[in-house]
């Protein structure tokens, strides 16, 4: 049974999740969409799945980071390093690499002969100069600040907002139902990639939700979690709009960031949480 505070947090988030979904759906239906713009957002997604969000040089990303921590843990398994935590790291490594593979497959499937194929180093170099990264870098900076400044609650907010209720994947999966005549092959490739990722990411999102009620947070903690999460969710809307080449204009973006979208219903049943 979810607590009143958790329900309140979910209700706060729901219009922002809806906004993110709207950004993505707007792009998919937009006349500005091209094969090139599809490859561009897929490249950003591959980057995120492999390197995480930070552009700094010390970032080891979602592959090398866990691999190094596993190597370091190896001599201490069950002698200081809990096997369940190691399994968690392994699961994360497997899942995020699987997501990279799914989106890289779609990216490569849309390549014309002679165009670059996906690789982690290619995408890292390529995206360094991408102007669409500004919003993503701003969001990352905010998340890092929240984590550094507010410790556990900051970390909780990060986990809660991660993935934005998987709206990229759920919107992508919908393309299969009615592919656009001019994008049929792309729509099916994207929908396939998104369905390969959706369940894992829903699980990752749940890790940020379940357990919140067992943490015995004070009212002040909940208030902080609420405020930090709201700021991050607003930042996510701009990040997604940039990833997709700014399909949504300023006026609608302002409404979205003011929480004016019709809330996306949270699936309590799938989350195994009673409202
Ligand atoms: Fe992922
Ligand atoms: Fe994930």
């Amino acid at each position: 049974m979810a607590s009143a505070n958790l329900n309140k947090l979910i209700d706060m988030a729901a219009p922002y999740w809806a906004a993110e979904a709207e950004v993505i759906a707007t792009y998919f239906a937009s006349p500005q969409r091209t094969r090139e713009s599809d490859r561009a957002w897929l490249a950003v997604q591959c980057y995120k799945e492999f390197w995480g969000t930070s552009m700094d040089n010390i970032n080891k990303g979602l592959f090398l980071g866990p691999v190094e921590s596993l190597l370091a843990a190896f001599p201490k398994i069950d002698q200081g390093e809990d096997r369940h935590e190691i399994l968690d790291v392994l699961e994360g490594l497997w899942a995020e690499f699987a997501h990279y593979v799914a989106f890289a497959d779609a990216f490569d499937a849309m390549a014309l002969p002679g165009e670059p194929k996906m690789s982690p180093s290619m995408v890292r170099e390529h995206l360094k100069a991408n102007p669409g990264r500004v919003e993503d870098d701003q969001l990352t900076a905010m998340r890092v600040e929240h984590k550094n400044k507010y410790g556990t609650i900051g970390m909780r907010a990060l986990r809660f907002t991660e993935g934005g209720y998987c709206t990229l994947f759920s919107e992508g999966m919908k393309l299969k139902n009615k592919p656009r005549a001019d994008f049929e092959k792309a729509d099916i490739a994207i929908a396939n990639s998104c369905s390969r990722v959706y369940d894992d990411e829903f699980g990752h999102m749940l890790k940020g939700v379940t357990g919140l009620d067992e943490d015995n947070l004070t009212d002040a903690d909940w208030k902080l979690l609420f405020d930090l999460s709201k700021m991050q969710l607003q930042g996510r809307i701009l990040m997604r709009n940039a990833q997709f080449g700014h399909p949504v204009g300023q006026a609608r973006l302002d409404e979205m960031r003011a929480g004016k979208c019709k809330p996306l219903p949270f699936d309590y049943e799938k989350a195994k949480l009673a409202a």
Side-chain angles (χ1 to χ4, degrees), residues 49 96 99 162 200-201 204:
E49 302 291 359
E96 299 306 347
H99 305 163
E162 194 189 313
D200 289 341
E201 288 298 18
H204 291 179

Side-chain angles (χ1 to χ4, degrees), residues 9 19 60 62 75 78-79 90 99 116 124 192-193 207 220 241 245 251 257:
L9 184 69
K60 300 205 162 127
L62 304 181
D78 285 337
Q79 290 171 318
L90 276 164
H99 305 163
R124 187 168 212 196
N192 284 339
S193 302
K207 279 191 185 168
N241 200 43
R257 299 186 71 225

